[in-house]
Amino acid sequence: MTEQIQTLQRWIDDSHAIVFFGGAGVSTESGIPDFRSVDGLYNQKYAWPPEEILSRTFFDAQPEEFYRFYRDKMLCLEAKPNAAHRKLAELESAGRLRSVVTQNIDGLHQLAGSRRVWELHGSVHRNYCIRCRRPYSVESIKEGQGVPTCSCGGTIKPDVVLYEEGLDSATIEGAVADLRAADLLIIGGTSLAVYPAAGLINYFRGKRLVLINKTPTPFDIRANLAIHSPIGQVLGQIRVE
């Protein structure tokens, strides 16, 4: 272990109310592309910018184009949890991790075994009719063609937060309560550039803040410990007792 990892290990060993706040970088090691890196979705070429395609206005106006992009780029159902997902689930089982607060929509934390997960931007695994609220599986969306419609005739929408939509209030309240009660906050795999989600970390009142990201972030100066390495590589070295 490096000195930084040893420090992180000591702090985890001393904590019993850890909260992990994660972004797209947590899932890149599972093969899911992020948005803002050199190879991310925002740096690829489409007829429209991804942030426009993933807006509520675009979904309502051009649902067929939305679903063409969504099926191609947002549904990575073959992805498996990596070392970071698995370690966080292990820490929760050991009674050290209070919850995961994630900006990701892939469901990999739950697949790894995490039970208390606050999904700020929703999940691809939940889909519903915007008219009658009937639920639909992600498999039915992935395998379908064109715009999926309900038996009632309504359009089916993924339960993900699109641009121009607000975050779910109950999810925000739960995440804020856990952040306020945390004694250690570990932020991983995020540049903390997406608001209002990134602003939630201001509710943390604990004494130790750890930031793990492959590249430096503007928030490094606020961290008690900043580690510039892939999150799975870092958490994979942590022992859970």
Side-chain angles (χ1 to χ4, degrees), residues 121-141:
H121 296 150
S123 172
V124 300
H125 294 276
R126 297 187 300 270
N127 304 272
Y128 62 92
C129 171
I130 60 177
R131 179 185 295 175
C132 73
R133 306 299 293 185
R134 179 180 176 180
Y136 286 85
S137 70
V138 67
E139 289 79 15
S140 68
I141 303 300

Side-chain angles (χ1 to χ4, degrees), residues 166-179:
L167 304 185
D168 177 71
S169 59
T171 300
I172 292 296
E173 290 170 6
V176 166
D178 282 356
L179 284 163

Side-chain angles (χ1 to χ4, degrees), residues 94-187:
R96 297 193 178 280
L97 184 78
R98 186 179 183 90
S99 67
V100 169
V101 181
T102 181
Q103 299 175 83
N104 297 337
I105 59 175
D106 50 52
L108 290 181
H109 285 293
Q110 291 93 330
L111 190 58
S114 290
R115 296 180 297 276
R116 191 173 175 86
V117 182
W118 300 109
E119 296 175 307
L120 299 178
H121 296 150
S123 172
V124 300
H125 294 276
R126 297 187 300 270
N127 304 272
Y128 62 92
C129 171
I130 60 177
R131 179 185 295 175
C132 73
R133 306 299 293 185
R134 179 180 176 180
Y136 286 85
S137 70
V138 67
E139 289 79 15
S140 68
I141 303 300
K142 178 73 170 179
E143 296 164 5
Q145 299 290 326
V147 181
T149 55
C150 179
S151 56
C152 77
T155 299
I156 299 170
K157 180 186 179 295
D159 189 16
V160 298
V161 179
L162 302 177
Y163 289 100
E164 303 167 348
E165 292 184 323
L167 304 185
D168 177 71
S169 59
T171 300
I172 292 296
E173 290 170 6
V176 166
D178 282 356
L179 284 163
R180 282 176 168 158
D183 55 10
L184 170 63
L185 174 59
I186 302 175
I187 301 171

